[in-house]
């Protein structure tokens, strides 16, 4: 958490935490000149709204999915291979089908806005619709949470007044014999209860302490930022991260570039403010590391990654999840946000002993892409936050940590610390991965790896 200011250095991703990792992991890379970035290809851009775009199997595509596996099985089996091989092949194909089906199923549901309104995508009308509370029950809510990748986590399912102005709803056909929840839903222009389903799979975004942040940063209090984790490699703090479920942590993709893409290197520490105290704790082993498939190590575009812990965290006053941002959540042009981490308190400094936090306002993309600031290096998958005059900023060691904001008394994760040109330099604010465009990918990975 840098608090100094100074003259701006050359533009380009600067802090990546490599200096705080064992030197054997990385060879030194030459600095990248601004001109080397080139234009951003369209394939790296996140999808447009609706962000949870559905992928619906068409009638034309259905025969392909069923026919190809059948022909493959017949070919193998007619060659009189062992019966065991045929069984293993069938099981493998079935597993692939189940994974694809799970991803497609998730694409049909989402939580919308600050009130977590459950919406279902209608492939017939090609639009999202809230679910009417008529005949809804908690068991359906639990089923949706499982489908979104939350496992058995469930917090609440209740009816609230719909303030979106919706005139069309999805309703449950309770007389339908089909046990598939989504096949029980049908279109309706009437909702008798005049309430829609608000679904929360877990209590998130709750801090145990009342924040009184000041622009310059300060040491954090225990329980103030309970979603913050310290990610260690060989007993050394390397990056920060944010708890989103008992098993899942959001961090930056540049933190887990090879060879650190192997989970065996990583240990997560939660609910501890002091780095020295972490030496006396066992920490939480990481079981999976998943970087965004379109992460670009040169431009730091799509700089987000997930870690799945080997064993779930136990939540308490010091360890709690932050909320993932829902589509439809509006941010003000200069929305007040908070950053936290154990990063250096000045450029090229050492990792901080204590967790620090500071307030930084958002900076609009158009302003951040000004030729005097980052000169079109900011993509839609990035967010700028900080002060153009310097003062306060993220720095080495803060990477992967949270950029959060408070709305409707809930803390939302809207960014992960990604890069910056120097620390707290004039016209060089911090750049963060734009979590608001990655929520669909996060849920997809959670569901596929549940």
């Amino acid at each position: 958490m840098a608090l100094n200011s100074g003259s701006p250095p050359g533009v380009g991703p600067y802090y990546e935490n490599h200096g705080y990792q064992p030197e054997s992991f990385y060879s030194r890379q030459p600095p990248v000149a601004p001109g080397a970035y080139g234009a951003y290809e369209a394939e790296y851009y996140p999808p447009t709204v609706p962000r949870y775009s559905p992928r619906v199997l068409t009638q034309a595509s259905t025969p392909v999915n069923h026919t190809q596996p059948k022909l493959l099985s017949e070919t193998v089996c007619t060659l009189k291979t062992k019966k065991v091989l045929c069984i293993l092949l069938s099981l493998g194909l079935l597993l692939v089908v189940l994974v694809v089906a799970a991803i497609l199923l998730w694409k049909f549901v989402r939580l919308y806005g600050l009130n977590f309104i459950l919406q279902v995508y209608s492939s017939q009308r090609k639009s999202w619709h809230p679910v009417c509370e008529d005949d809804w029950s908690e068991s359906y809510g639990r089923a949706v949470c499982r489908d979104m990748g939350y496992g058995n986590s469930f917090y609440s399912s209740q009816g609230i007044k719909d303030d979106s102005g919706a005139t069309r709803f999805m309703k449950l056909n309770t007389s339908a014999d089909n046990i598939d929840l989504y096949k029980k839903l049908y279109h309706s222009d009437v909702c008798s209860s005049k309430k829609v389903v608000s679904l929360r799979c877990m209590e998130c975004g709750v801090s145990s302490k009342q924040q009184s942040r000041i622009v310059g940063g300060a040491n954090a209090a225990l329980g103030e930022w309970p979603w913050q984790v310290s990610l260690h490699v060989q007993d050394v703090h390397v990056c920060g991260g944010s708890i989103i479920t008992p098993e899942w942590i959001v961090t930056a993709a540049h933190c887990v570039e090879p060879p650190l893409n192997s989970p065996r290197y990583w240990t997560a520490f939660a609910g501890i403010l002091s780095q020295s105290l972490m030496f006396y704790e066992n920490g939480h082993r990481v079981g999976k590391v998943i970087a965004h498939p379109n992460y670009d190590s040169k431009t730091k575009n799509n700089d987000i990654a997930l870690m799945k812990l080997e064993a779930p965290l136990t939540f308490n006053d010091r360890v709690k999840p932050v909320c993932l941002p829902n589509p439809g959540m509006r941010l003000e042009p200069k929305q007040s946000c908070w950053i936290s981490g154990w990063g250096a308190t000045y450029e090229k400094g050492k990792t901080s002993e204590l967790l620090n936090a500071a307030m930084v306002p958002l900076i609009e993309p158009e302003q951040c892409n000004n030729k005097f600031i980052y000169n079109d290096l900011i993509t839609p998958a990035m967010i700028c936050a900080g002060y153009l005059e310097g003062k306060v900023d993220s720095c080495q060691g803060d990477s992967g940590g949270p950029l959060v904001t408070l709305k409707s008394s809930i803390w939302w994760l809207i960014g992960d610390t990604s890069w910056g040109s120097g620390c707290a330099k004039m016209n060089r604010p911090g750049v963060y991965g734009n979590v608001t465009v990655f929520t669909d990918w996060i849920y997809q990975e959670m569901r596929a790896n549940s």
Side-chain angles (χ1 to χ4, degrees):
M1 201 67 55
L3 307 179
N4 64 317
S5 61
S7 59
V11 177
Y14 183 87
Y15 51 83
E16 302 174 33
N17 284 327
H18 291 183
Y20 296 97
Q21 297 168 356
E23 292 186 3
S24 59
F25 283 120
Y26 286 94
S27 59
R28 292 189 176 275
Q29 300 294 327
V32 181
Y37 285 89
Y40 294 105
E41 300 296 333
E43 65 185 76
Y44 294 120
Y45 280 22
T48 56
V49 177
R51 296 186 180 113
Y52 305 157
S53 56
R55 295 181 182 178
V56 183
L57 285 174
T58 62
Q59 291 182 349
S61 64
T62 302
V64 177
N65 288 339
H66 292 288
T67 304
Q68 288 180 343
K70 182 180 179 182
L71 290 174
L72 181 57
S73 299
E74 288 176 350
T75 301
V76 175
C77 294
T78 53
L79 292 175
K80 296 182 179 181
T81 56
K82 294 181 179 180
K83 185 177 181 180
V84 174
L85 181 59
C86 294
I87 294 174
L88 290 175
L89 177 62
S90 299
L91 289 175
L93 292 171
L94 177 61
L95 180 61
V96 171
V97 171
L98 289 175
V99 170
V100 172
I103 295 173
L104 292 174
L105 177 62
W106 174 84
K107 289 288 185 178
F108 284 98
V109 296
R110 72 178 185 183
L111 303 179
Y112 184 85
L114 300 175
N115 291 322
F116 299 87
I117 294 175
L118 176 62
Q119 292 187 338
V120 175
Y121 186 82
S122 167
S123 56
Q124 178 183 346
R125 295 179 175 176
K126 293 182 172 53
S127 57
W128 292 96
H129 301 285
V131 176
C132 177
E133 196 204 11
D134 295 358
D135 300 313
W136 186 261
S137 69
E138 183 180 297
S139 61
Y140 293 131
R142 291 182 179 275
V144 174
C145 286
R146 285 194 297 271
D147 289 338
M148 295 185 71
Y150 281 100
N152 293 323
S153 295
F154 175 81
Y155 180 60
S156 68
S157 180
Q158 60 184 334
I160 64 171
K161 183 179 179 181
D162 179 38
D163 56 3
S164 68
T167 57
R168 294 178 176 178
F169 307 87
M170 302 299 287
K171 290 183 67 174
L172 278 170
N173 179 6
T174 54
S175 61
D177 294 330
N178 199 310
I179 60 173
D180 186 339
L181 166 63
Y182 305 99
K183 291 182 179 178
K184 285 178 177 285
L185 295 169
Y186 67 96
H187 297 99
S188 176
D189 296 333
V190 178
C191 180
S192 302
S193 64
K194 300 188 184 301
K195 291 183 178 181
V196 295
V197 175
S198 171
L199 177 64
R200 297 192 63 176
C201 297
M202 65 173 50
E203 185 181 26
C204 59
V206 179
S207 172
S208 302
K209 300 287 183 179
Q210 180 64 40
Q211 277 70 24
S212 57
R213 295 292 101 215
I214 57 173
V215 173
N219 292 146
L222 202 59
E224 193 172 17
W225 312 103
W227 41 82
Q228 174 82 55
V229 296
S230 174
L231 300 173
H232 283 211
V233 173
Q234 296 180 352
D235 298 323
V236 177
H237 169 82
V238 173
C239 279
S242 303
I243 301 167
I244 56 172
T245 80
E247 294 181 296
W248 289 96
I249 291 170
V250 171
T251 187
H254 79 254
C255 291
V256 297
E257 290 183 22
L260 295 186
N261 56 335
S262 172
R264 65 187 178 92
Y265 290 121
W266 294 96
T267 305
F269 291 87
I272 305 174
L273 299 179
S274 169
Q275 284 292 320
S276 60
L277 290 179
M278 295 177 193
F279 287 107
Y280 302 99
E281 300 289 338
N282 291 326
H284 303 271
R285 301 298 304 173
V286 174
K288 288 184 180 179
V289 173
I290 306 171
H292 195 282
N294 290 334
Y295 166 64
D296 188 324
S297 61
K298 292 182 179 179
T299 64
K300 298 296 174 284
N301 202 30
N302 299 309
D303 192 6
I304 191 169
L306 291 170
M307 290 185 176
K308 186 179 184 182
L309 301 178
E310 288 185 350
L313 296 166
T314 300
F315 290 160
N316 51 46
D317 288 343
R318 297 175 287 109
V319 181
K320 297 180 180 180
V322 66
C323 292
L324 289 173
N326 295 328
M329 191 181 80
R330 297 182 181 276
L331 298 173
E332 300 300 322
K334 295 183 179 181
Q335 181 87 25
S336 293
C337 300
W338 282 259
I339 51 177
S340 53
W342 288 271
T345 55
Y346 58 92
E347 190 173 328
K348 298 183 180 179
K350 295 182 179 180
T351 299
S352 174
E353 161 65 12
L354 297 175
L355 179 65
N356 291 309
M359 185 180 75
V360 289
L362 291 184
I363 300 174
E364 293 186 84
E366 295 79 7
Q367 184 177 15
C368 206
N369 266 326
N370 184 286
K371 65 179 180 179
F372 297 110
I373 303 177
Y374 281 130
N375 195 23
D376 291 332
L377 294 179
I378 307 303
T379 74
M382 303 175 188
I383 293 179
C384 286
Y387 302 89
L388 297 183
E389 62 270 28
K391 289 187 179 180
V392 60
D393 192 10
S394 298
C395 202
Q396 293 96 338
D398 288 322
S399 285
L403 174 73
V404 298
T405 193
L406 184 66
K407 292 183 77 71
S408 295
S409 301
I410 293 174
W411 289 96
W412 306 84
L413 180 68
I414 61 170
D416 67 278
T417 305
S418 181
W419 62 275
S421 186
C423 302
K425 297 292 187 181
M426 183 179 296
N427 286 336
R428 298 294 185 266
V431 184
Y432 303 81
N434 186 355
V435 178
T436 66
V437 301
F438 294 129
T439 47
D440 55 350
W441 174 76
I442 292 172
Y443 281 125
Q444 177 180 318
E445 293 299 331
M446 285 169 50
R447 181 65 181 91
N449 292 279
S450 59

